[in-house]
Structure formats: structure tokens, C-alpha cells
Amino acid sequence: MSSSGPDRPLVGVLAIQGDFAEHLGVLERLGARTMAVRLPDQLDDLDGLVIPGGESTTFGKLAVRYGFMGPVRDLVASGRPVWGTCAGLIFLSRDCGRDQPILEVMDVAVRRNAFGSQIDSFERALDIPALGPEAFPGVFIRAPLVTAVGRDVKVLSEIDAGVVAVEQANLLGTCFHPELTRDPRMHRYFLNKMTSQTQFPPKN
């Protein structure tokens, strides 16, 4: 992705809760134009959106309170790329196993806190062929696990316990936290997903 030029796509990070600052830092180091999104009408200007990790129940409640549910669904429907990490993936999923606000736009079911509590956090070298042959450092913190995928969902990575990275059309989901590593390949993959589109849909 070019680091200069007025026509670079603009990527937003939903900044209502969780580790949005870390995502913004990685994207900016890669030369992306970024925006911390705190109001729904800011979504109109974006070419792609990252939904960060955090606490998924709180995240959903805040998204409802600040009016993000419909506008984010509209952004997904427009075809612009959206990436959910950890709680962000839970927020995108169609089923998280309990009653809490989720978007239900990605055809995956997830199990919250599938690996235990905060003290059970761990790192695992992940095989993600889409990123190349070198293992990716997966950081799992109160992470979900993908327990079911629809037929249009591509599995990007899995471990013994199950699926941990998925892609469906313009959607990307990871159970782990790429923003907490020094490896920018997952963010670069998302930026390439944005720039690979030959034509961005018109913005409102």
C-alpha cells in the first residue's frame, strides 16, 4: 500500500471500547490513512473498518447506545471490508451463544472465552497460509473460538481446539490479537483486501 497520495483508502477503527489505539498504531506504521471512529456518521467516509478486541458484552451495549448497529450493518452491506478481532469477531458473528447485541452479519458461530479467563492467556505460533510460510504469533486473551462456519466462509487458520481465523467476502475475523504483536502481516492483509477492490462503492 502506498504511504502517500490523496487517493489512499481511509481505514477506520471503532473507538468506543477496547484496544483501538493499538490497531491505529499498526495501521499508521504501515502508511495507512486512519480514523478513530467515535460517531456513526464518521463511517460514511471510510473505505474499511476494524472492530477491535475488548469486552464483547460492553462493546455491544455501547454500540447500541451510540447508534452504531444499523450504520455498521450498512457499511458491511455496501461491500467495504470490515475486520473484527477477538470481541470484534464476536460482534460480527451470527451466533455467540448468548443474548447480547451482535451484528449477525458473518456466517459463523463463536464461543466466548473459549480458552478461559485473563490468566489463561497464551501465545501460539499459527499457520496462516494467506500470510506466507512463516508462522504468525497468535496472542489469545479471553479469546473466542469459531465453532461453526457457513459454506461461504473460508477458514484461514485453525489450531487443535478449532478455527481461529476466517474470511467471508468483505469480512475478516480473527480470534487473536495481531495488534499486540510486532508482526504487521495481518494488518497488511486487511489493507490489501481494501486496495484489491477495483472500485469502492459510493459513500453516502
Side-chain angles (χ1 to χ4, degrees):
M1 185 172 187
S2 172
S3 60
S4 63
D7 296 329
R8 287 177 299 149
L10 176 63
V11 58
V13 181
L14 200 55
I16 57 174
Q17 203 254 351
D19 49 356
F20 54 87
E22 289 81 358
H23 276 292
L24 287 166
V26 179
L27 292 165
E28 287 165 3
R29 286 194 291 276
L30 289 173
R33 284 200 304 142
T34 62
M35 175 188 290
V37 177
R38 295 186 170 87
L39 297 170
D41 60 7
Q42 292 177 299
L43 298 171
D44 296 343
D45 296 326
L46 302 180
D47 297 303
L49 176 69
V50 177
I51 303 175
E55 205 293 311
S56 68
T57 305
T58 302
F59 199 96
K61 289 179 179 177
L62 290 173
V64 170
R65 179 181 302 173
Y66 294 113
F68 274 101
M69 299 297 283
V72 176
R73 285 193 179 105
D74 290 344
L75 189 149
V76 171
S78 76
R80 285 172 281 176
V82 178
W83 174 20
T85 60
C86 197
L89 171 58
I90 295 171
F91 191 54
L92 290 175
S93 71
R94 63 170 167 75
D95 180 9
C96 69
R98 59 178 288 175
D99 184 16
Q100 68 181 63
I102 56 175
L103 295 171
E104 302 180 55
V105 293
M106 193 172 200
D107 193 11
V108 296
V110 300
R111 185 167 71 245
R112 299 166 69 255
N113 301 330
F115 301 95
S117 64
Q118 189 93 8
I119 62 172
D120 298 309
S121 302
F122 64 95
E123 292 188 30
R124 176 78 59 85
L126 300 175
D127 179 25
I128 308 179
L131 302 184
E134 184 178 348
F136 187 85
V139 176
F140 292 79
I141 303 172
R142 297 183 63 195
L145 186 70
V146 177
T147 57
V149 299
R151 64 180 181 180
D152 295 328
V153 176
K154 178 181 179 182
V155 173
L156 296 179
S157 184
E158 56 186 323
I159 58 177
D160 293 344
V163 174
V164 294
V166 287
E167 185 171 27
Q168 178 186 355
N170 58 318
L171 300 175
L172 182 65
T174 52
C175 297
F176 47 91
H177 289 266
E179 76 282 7
L180 299 182
T181 77
R182 294 180 179 274
D183 191 327
R185 284 180 293 162
M186 203 74 227
H187 288 78
R188 186 176 291 124
Y189 184 81
F190 181 68
L191 292 175
N192 288 340
K193 190 174 177 67
M194 291 174 59
T195 56
S196 66
Q197 293 188 1
T198 56
Q199 182 176 2
F200 288 101
K203 300 166 189 169
N204 296 327

